[in-house]
Amino acid sequence: MAIETGFREWSRRKWAPYATALAAVVLSLLLRWPLQPLLGSAVPHMTFLPAVMLVAYLGGFWPGVAATLFSAIAAHVFLIGLPQAQFNAQVNDFAAMLLFVLSGLIISALSESLHRARNRIALREGEQRWRSMTEALPQLVWSATPDGACDYFSTQWTQHTGVAANDLLGWRWMKTLHPDDREPTRKLWTDSVAGRGPYDVEYRVRRSDGGYRWFKTRGVPISDSNGRIFKWFGTCTDITDAKLFAEELRTAKEVAEAANRAKDEFLANVSHEIRTPMNAILGMTELTLDTPLTDDQRQCLRTVKSSADSLLGLINDLLDFSKIEAGKLELDLADFSLRATLGDTLRALAVRAHKKGLELIYNVQPKVPDALIGDAGRLRQVLLNLIGNAIKFTDRGEAVVRVEVADDPAPEGKVGLRFAVSDTGIGIALEKQEKIFRAFEQEDMSTTRRYGGTGLGLTIASRLVSLMGGKINVDSALGRGSTFTFTAQFARQLRPADSVAARPPVLLNNLPVLVVDDNAANRRILEEWLRSWQMEPVAVGDGVTAMDTLWGAAAPGRPYPLVLLDGRMPDTDGLVLAAKIRKRAELAATRIILLTSSDIPGDPARIRELNIDAQLLKPVQQDELLETIYRVMSRVNCNVQPLNTPSERQQSAPTSGLSTAPLRILVAEDNEFNAQLLEQLLMRRGHQVRLVNNGREALSWAEHAASDLLLLDVHMPELDGFQVIQEIRERERSNGKHLPVIALTARSRKEDRERCLAAGMDDFLSKPIQTAELWLAINRVVGAKAANEPTSAQLIDSRVLLAACDGDAGILKRICDKFRDRLPDHIAAVQKAFLHQDAPGLREAAHKLLGMISAFSTVAASVVSEIEDNAACEKLEEIPILMEQLNSMAPELLQAVRNQSIESLQRQAGAR
């Protein structure tokens, strides 16, 4: 059977059967040839009869005929002999040949009949097997002719549609399709038959009960050996259940999305409702703390503010967690300075650490780039959580933050950083380290736990770290503290701005520096920084060793030029040690920079008395330290005051750089408490305030009354903030003006901010409003304009002038006349000293001008004061801009003091 099958496969080639016939004849001849002497010419044709029968059986009629003719020729040529066959033919030989040929034709014909009968049987069996298979399939099966007319449908079609198979043949099957699906299906089937694409379609087929079910139909062409299509076969698969499931899934998805939107809206509304009274609580508390209070009152109010801040932090944690769970928390990428961000973060936590007597230390390795692109706010949030926990769970010792380049390679253009926050606190048991990253869980869940919190902080930090392309881990044990490490990836800035730490401090090369600090980690970090700046540091851990080291260097005439002195050490106070240094004449030239953990009452006076050159609040920022050292060591004989104390810097920081010029501010706020808070805050700065409590009034006042700024609550009655800003910006298109608008809203989401800015608002403040953020926002949108272009009325400080004349009209007239007479001379003296680059003369002239002008204008007085300060330090390069401001203000001041009266000043003071 295997031989027969192999032969049939080979014989499908056109020439193969005839080659087989020839080969069979040759083989028969070779077998007869050795017997020729024995047999002679007896029955030569019968030698080839087996070959004819074999070829006919295997190949059919024509191969059998060919084998018969080849055999007859071979018998006469090779066995009987051609000459004898031609000229001496015998009647018997000729008759034998005819009989042989006839026998071959009969055998070939019978074999052909047998072949066809076998093929018919095989075809019927194959068709039966194919039909049995199609009937067993769950799909509906069909076939079609090359022109697209269907010629077969499985019985499932009839069972499903109730239409007889004969009524489906040709193109009539289209009638069972849904009316909406017929034409698209006809077009696709026609295109596929024409060879313009595959046939893969979904349509609905009518059932026998009149209903419809979805089917997915695929058809494939069957081609012959010449590539011509002679048949199409296809299947139809019932996908109704899948369609229904997909529809249910889509509906469920829409319901889930609607639920998420409802939850987001609910959280936003809850946030708004909570933040609105929180704004009043925090704001009014801050205002009250700025007034004279007893110690008990101040302590109570500080407790209120601390509790309100804690509640606000809880609200923010819940909102962040909600965003994370909904997958809507995104990073806001922007340029930032890593060292500045880290320093600001630790500075914000320094007070908490120092109140517990903890050292707060950080160290950024020199190889870590500073100019990065990322979400500085989210990085700060992670650090605040980890460092805050380190302070919370540590009673003594230190909290250390280290930053280095991560070992794992980062993608091109990015850098991977590794942050480590270590403490010497209570530690975490090994079996509880995993669950601290789960939501709403803490290491100690008992009711008697000492530490509060929601258990969301580390969960949020972990998710934020993942967003930044990193991982967070903890290494801890009970009683030996904890180390939380996390990695994050940031892009590098293409053109980073020059940092102070990057400038080569040539003046400081090889500068001997004595570091006095009882904390070993602090000493090591300060030493690393100083060495990286090419200085020569020596570090000691107590006051006795410090004095011995100083005296040992001074004895041979090489005293230390600079001492970095810790303000609080176990054996001695930093100021006591500084006093000992100042008592030694040999150490008179030594500069002292005091590193303090907090302010002590009376410190500023004591610092000035001891001639401390600078004071820095721990944790010290690297670039801040370098800049301070450079400035301290650059002084020669300039009689200037030491740097501000940390408390003075912190108090002035929120307002530094802000305009002091009074503004006309329209406040649109429907909440009475928030409106009163904003009014008092703004009026304290000398601004004129107009309050309105709905959008329609805000729109009316913005149109008819001149205003420099609009503080606009987004959610107000009658017209909301978006409707108001839309109308304002529409009007401005025709008049060419622009009213700066700051949005106020209790919703703090990123999309809320983006919506406000897209609507045309200039800035965005989230409630509860922090005072410092309010001044910064005002400065961003109108600060520069207000500072550079004050009006005449705004230049005059009515309250100060009323106090100077004590409400006496005669005194007011005399001082205004004297002001108009002497102001030009004083300004001329300042200009002359500046033109001659005479720093001492400029300082003296500015001082005299300041004494006179400060009674009339705080705005102008601030400019003159800056001129005096810069002249004292001989920083004449910074004075030209100040001179321009002063020259532009002088004519306005002269005009403003004309015809001033007690009544007009009182009206201005009342308006403000």
Side-chain angles (χ1 to χ4, degrees):
M1 182 61 69
I3 297 175
E4 180 180 353
T5 303
F7 177 80
R8 290 187 183 280
E9 289 293 329
W10 183 71
S11 64
R12 288 179 182 177
R13 302 171 186 177
K14 292 182 178 181
W15 51 269
Y18 304 101
T20 303
L22 182 60
V25 172
V26 172
L27 181 61
S28 298
L29 182 62
L30 293 176
L31 292 174
R32 170 63 185 260
W33 195 267
L35 301 175
Q36 180 62 16
L38 179 62
L39 298 176
S41 60
V43 289
H45 302 91
M46 297 307 293
T47 302
F48 301 95
L49 187 59
V52 173
M53 295 175 65
L54 177 62
V55 172
Y57 173 77
L58 296 177
F61 180 76
W62 290 109
V65 172
T68 301
L69 295 178
F70 292 158
S71 298
I73 295 171
H76 283 273
V77 171
F78 296 101
L79 298 180
I80 300 175
L82 184 60
Q84 185 180 357
Q86 275 186 318
F87 304 109
N88 301 311
Q90 299 292 325
V91 176
N92 292 338
D93 294 334
F94 183 74
M97 181 186 69
L98 290 178
L99 181 61
F100 175 77
V101 171
L102 181 60
S103 300
L105 292 176
I106 293 172
I107 292 171
S108 298
L110 291 174
S111 297
E112 181 67 23
S113 299
L114 179 61
H115 271 243
R116 292 185 180 185
R118 291 174 60 184
N119 287 339
R120 285 194 298 270
I121 293 172
L123 182 60
R124 281 196 300 269
E125 291 177 350
E127 185 175 352
Q128 185 61 39
R129 284 195 301 270
W130 185 76
R131 287 179 182 273
S132 299
M133 181 184 65
T134 59
E135 302 301 331
L137 291 175
Q139 291 90 351
L140 311 184
V141 182
W142 54 271
S143 65
T145 57
D147 61 356
C150 291
D151 58 2
Y152 169 75
F153 287 94
S154 62
T155 56
Q156 290 93 328
W157 272 89
T158 300
Q159 294 171 0
H160 183 81
T161 63
V163 179
N166 291 335
D167 295 332
L168 296 171
L169 299 179
W171 293 78
R172 289 177 290 176
W173 60 274
M174 288 275 185
K175 295 179 182 180
T176 64
L177 303 188
H178 191 282
D180 295 341
D181 300 335
R182 289 174 189 170
E183 191 55 36
T185 303
R186 183 189 300 275
K187 184 177 185 307
L188 182 62
W189 177 231
T190 304
D191 291 343
S192 300
V193 169
R196 290 191 289 268
Y199 185 60
D200 193 333
V201 64
E202 294 179 2
Y203 50 64
R204 287 160 288 181
V205 178
R206 186 179 63 246
R207 295 176 51 165
S208 57
D209 59 3
Y212 286 90
R213 291 188 69 84
W214 280 96
F215 284 85
K216 183 174 185 63
T217 298
R218 289 189 177 92
V220 294
I222 308 299
S223 303
D224 60 16
S225 58
N226 295 321
R228 290 190 299 269
I229 296 175
F230 67 89
K231 203 73 170 177
W232 282 83
F233 288 102
T235 60
C236 303
T237 304
D238 192 335
I239 59 171
T240 306
D241 292 340
K243 282 279 188 179
L244 292 175
F245 179 76
E247 180 64 21
E248 291 174 358
L249 189 62
R250 185 186 64 81
T251 303
K253 181 173 178 290
E254 290 178 354
V255 171
E257 290 174 348
N260 276 334
R261 286 193 297 270
K263 182 183 71 173
D264 291 345
E265 190 65 23
F266 172 76
L267 287 172
N269 290 332
V270 170
S271 171
H272 179 272
E273 295 302 322
I274 296 177
R275 286 174 183 273
T276 297
M278 285 292 296
N279 184 48
I281 294 171
L282 285 170
M284 290 300 183
T285 303
E286 288 183 359
L287 286 173
T288 309
L289 283 170
D290 290 338
T291 62
L293 299 168
T294 66
D295 291 341
D296 288 342
Q297 291 171 333
R298 188 172 300 279
Q299 183 60 41
C300 290
L301 287 174
R302 284 176 176 169
T303 302
V304 171
K305 186 176 184 303
S306 175
S307 299
D309 287 333
S310 298
L311 179 57
L312 187 60
L314 172 60
I315 295 169
N316 291 333
D317 279 351
L318 289 172
L319 289 175
D320 278 345
F321 182 72
S322 174
K323 291 179 184 177
I324 290 172
E325 289 297 295
K328 294 183 178 180
L329 190 63
E330 298 178 354
L331 298 180
D332 185 11
L333 304 182
D335 295 351
F336 76 98
S337 166
L338 174 66
R339 287 170 175 81
T341 299
L342 187 59
D344 292 343
T345 303
L346 269 73
R347 186 66 54 83
L349 296 167
V351 175
R352 287 173 54 190
H354 298 157
K355 282 183 178 179
K356 298 184 70 173
L358 303 177
E359 286 285 352
L360 190 55
I361 308 165
Y362 83 100
N363 184 23
V364 182
Q365 293 297 313
K367 292 183 180 180
V368 174
D370 186 64
L372 302 175
I373 301 174
D375 192 332
R378 294 303 183 183
L379 174 62
R380 187 181 297 111
Q381 184 175 352
V382 175
L383 291 170
L384 282 171
N385 181 269
L386 297 180
I387 302 169
N389 284 345
I391 296 172
K392 180 196 294 186
F393 297 107
T394 303
D395 293 328
R396 64 178 61 89
E398 63 191 25
V400 183
V401 182
R402 295 182 178 84
V403 186
E404 60 190 9
V405 177
D407 296 331
D408 297 334
E412 186 177 357
K414 290 190 174 185
V415 60
L417 300 182
R418 181 179 180 272
F419 299 79
V421 180
S422 304
D423 62 62
T424 55
I426 61 175
I428 305 170
L430 181 62
E431 64 273 11
K432 297 182 179 180
Q433 291 178 12
E434 182 179 352
K435 77 172 188 176
I436 61 174
F437 293 103
R438 301 173 189 163
F440 305 106
E441 292 197 23
Q442 293 185 326
E443 187 270 335
D444 179 13
M445 295 295 292
S446 67
T447 57
T448 59
R449 65 185 184 186
R450 294 172 53 194
Y451 308 100
T454 62
L456 284 176
L458 286 175
T459 302
I460 294 172
S462 176
R463 304 288 181 88
L464 291 176
V465 168
S466 296
L467 281 177
M468 291 186 283
K471 296 185 296 184
I472 189 168
N473 297 291
V474 60
D475 178 20
S476 181
L478 286 176
R480 70 169 181 85
S482 304
T483 299
F484 284 84
T485 59
F486 71 92
T487 56
Q489 292 186 358
F490 303 94
R492 298 174 183 264
Q493 294 181 26
L494 296 179
R495 291 184 176 86
D498 292 335
S499 64
V500 175
R503 296 201 301 263
V506 178
L507 178 68
L508 308 180
N509 283 354
N510 303 316
L511 177 72
V513 182
L514 179 64
V515 178
V516 185
D517 197 313
D518 64 297
N519 185 275
N522 262 339
R523 293 199 303 270
R524 184 179 67 255
I525 291 172
L526 289 172
E527 279 189 284
E528 289 179 4
W529 288 358
L530 295 171
R531 284 198 179 92
S532 69
W533 298 330
Q534 309 304 314
M535 303 183 202
E536 297 178 358
V538 173
V540 298
D542 58 80
V544 175
T545 308
M547 290 303 301
D548 290 344
T549 305
L550 286 170
W551 186 246
R558 294 190 298 273
Y560 277 93
L562 178 64
V563 175
L564 302 184
L565 179 59
D566 185 12
R568 180 191 298 171
M569 291 183 290
D571 65 328
T572 182
D573 183 81
L575 294 180
V576 174
L577 185 58
K580 292 180 181 180
I581 294 174
R582 291 301 182 221
K583 287 180 181 178
R584 298 295 186 103
E586 297 87 347
L587 303 178
T590 298
R591 317 289 170 90
I592 300 176
I593 297 178
L594 188 66
L595 311 180
T596 63
S597 299
S598 61
D599 290 323
I600 304 172
D603 271 0
R606 182 69 169 150
I607 286 171
R608 285 192 291 269
E609 178 186 342
L610 294 174
N611 196 22
I612 301 296
D613 294 88
Q615 182 183 3
L616 295 176
L617 179 65
K618 291 182 176 181
V620 180
Q621 297 188 35
Q622 190 173 5
D623 56 348
E624 181 184 32
L625 176 62
L626 177 58
E627 185 177 9
T628 303
I629 293 175
Y630 193 88
R631 184 168 61 250
V632 167
M633 299 309 298
S634 298
R635 296 176 186 165
V636 183
N637 292 315
C638 181
N639 186 22
V640 297
Q641 296 294 327
L643 291 181
N644 292 338
T645 63
S647 61
E648 292 168 340
R649 285 197 304 273
Q650 289 172 353
Q651 292 170 3
S652 62
T655 61
S656 61
L658 300 185
S659 168
T660 57
L663 301 171
R664 296 162 296 182
I665 301 178
L666 177 62
V667 178
E669 169 64 70
D670 64 315
N671 183 276
E672 180 182 357
F673 297 105
N674 287 339
Q676 291 177 4
L677 169 63
L678 288 169
E679 183 181 29
Q680 293 191 39
L681 286 174
L682 295 169
M683 289 180 65
R684 283 192 179 186
R685 288 297 181 96
H687 301 300
Q688 300 179 37
V689 182
R690 167 67 63 179
L691 296 178
V692 295
N693 59 13
N694 63 66
R696 199 170 300 281
E697 287 186 19
L699 197 57
S700 176
W701 278 96
E703 181 180 8
H704 298 106
S707 300
D708 299 311
L709 174 66
L710 170 60
L711 300 181
L712 181 61
D713 185 17
V714 172
H715 303 282
M716 287 190 300
E718 299 194 27
L719 292 177
D720 65 21
F722 295 105
Q723 293 171 306
V724 172
I725 191 64
Q726 181 180 4
E727 184 64 28
I728 290 175
R729 296 304 184 227
E730 285 290 338
R731 292 173 181 175
E732 290 174 349
R733 288 192 179 94
S734 59
N735 58 33
K737 298 180 180 179
H738 181 80
L739 174 63
V741 178
I742 298 177
L744 307 177
T745 177
R747 298 189 176 188
S748 59
R749 299 177 301 176
K750 178 184 176 183
E751 48 266 34
D752 295 320
R753 175 183 179 85
E754 292 174 348
R755 184 185 176 193
C756 290
L757 298 179
M761 302 177 192
D762 299 275
D763 213 321
F764 174 96
L765 284 177
S766 175
K767 297 177 184 178
I769 296 170
Q770 302 295 325
T771 306
E773 293 179 359
L774 175 62
W775 306 140
L776 289 171
I778 293 175
N779 189 58
R780 282 194 297 268
V781 298
V782 297
K785 178 180 179 181
N788 296 331
E789 302 176 5
T791 64
S792 300
Q794 292 171 341
L795 282 174
I796 295 298
D797 195 325
S798 52
R799 291 192 180 92
V800 175
L801 192 51
L802 280 171
C805 68
D806 199 22
D808 190 307
I811 296 177
L812 175 63
K813 185 177 184 304
R814 284 195 298 274
I815 63 177
C816 287
D817 291 343
K818 186 174 292 186
F819 179 80
R820 288 197 304 273
D821 291 340
R822 295 186 178 181
L823 180 63
D825 294 336
H826 281 294
I827 291 180
V830 171
Q831 292 174 336
K832 180 178 179 181
F834 174 66
L835 289 175
H836 289 85
Q837 296 290 290
D838 179 7
L842 178 59
R843 179 187 180 188
E844 181 179 357
H847 184 73
K848 292 179 180 180
L849 174 59
L850 178 62
M852 182 185 67
I853 207 171
S854 59
F856 290 84
S857 173
T858 55
V859 177
S862 66
V863 175
V864 178
S865 178
E866 288 191 53
I867 293 176
E868 181 184 8
D869 292 342
N870 282 293
C873 289
E874 299 185 357
K875 295 181 179 180
L876 301 183
E877 68 278 1
E878 299 184 10
I879 294 180
I881 297 178
L882 299 172
M883 290 298 299
E884 290 181 10
Q885 295 180 11
L886 179 61
N887 291 333
S888 65
M889 291 179 184
E892 297 287 342
L893 283 170
L894 292 173
Q895 180 64 32
V897 298
R898 292 184 186 275
N899 303 320
Q900 284 287 356
S901 64
I902 298 297
E903 292 77 13
S904 64
L905 290 175
Q906 289 175 340
R907 284 196 302 270
Q908 294 172 22
R912 296 178 182 180

